[in-house]
Amino acid sequence: QHIEITEASSQHAYNDLNSNVFSVSAWFTLDPASLVEPVLLGFSGEHAWTIQSGPFGNAQILGPPGQERLDTEVPIRDGRIHHIIAMHDGLESETYIDGLKVDVPYERGSEVWDGMVGFTLGYGPTALRPENSFWKGMIDDVAIWERTLTEAEIEWIWNGGIGRSINEILHPEDADDDGLPDVWENRYAVP
């Protein structure tokens, strides 16, 4: 199974993702026996980018057609649970894999995000063989925001690999009901 959002498939979701600012977060595994290079996240369009497994099992980020590819040092074809956050702030894109920031292999400069043709999760429509089009592993706790996440939110979700659910971000615990989440008070030792 996979997610594919195009203007025809879901106008509301497409408009949200086609805005100038967005973030996507997900936990995933990839079958170690998979020898293909499946796409985990894909943003299609003139200035879009793709995150996939590279030929040696590390996370790989590809820029738009004609741009370079970035082979990260993060191994993802190991059967273990990993996490990804992909963000676009209107001018540039950022990606975090397992809590570590990796640079997208191009900078947009002062250009304006001109939208995308579509978004896929767990599916690469450009694979040469249909059986290689689909992600071979688990994808879970997917969330999409119409904004970029803060460093604190990224750390909160990743939490050293233990992770917290998206629901905990949306509804953080506040035992003393002072409007400050407990995790923030504990981190900064607020009495």
Side-chain angles (χ1 to χ4, degrees), residues 3-15 17 44 116-120:
I3 295 173
E4 185 173 13
I5 298 174
T6 64
E7 190 170 9
S9 66
S10 174
Q11 183 67 50
H12 178 72
Y14 177 83
N15 287 342
L17 282 165
S44 60
M116 61 185 153
V117 176
F119 163 79
T120 62

Side-chain angles (χ1 to χ4, degrees), residues 103-166:
D103 293 324
V104 175
Y106 73 103
E107 292 186 5
R108 299 278 326 246
S110 60
E111 295 179 45
V112 177
W113 175 259
D114 55 1
M116 61 185 153
V117 176
F119 163 79
T120 62
L121 181 67
Y123 175 63
T126 58
L128 296 177
R129 299 174 62 185
E131 64 271 21
N132 295 343
S133 297
F134 299 98
W135 188 258
K136 294 175 176 45
M138 175 272 302
I139 300 176
D140 192 24
D141 205 30
V142 178
I144 301 172
W145 290 266
E146 290 182 274
R147 63 178 178 85
T148 57
L149 300 179
T150 66
E151 291 284 337
E153 289 171 321
I154 293 168
E155 182 181 334
W156 170 260
I157 298 170
W158 168 242
N159 190 28
I162 297 170
R164 294 183 173 92
S165 72
I166 300 305

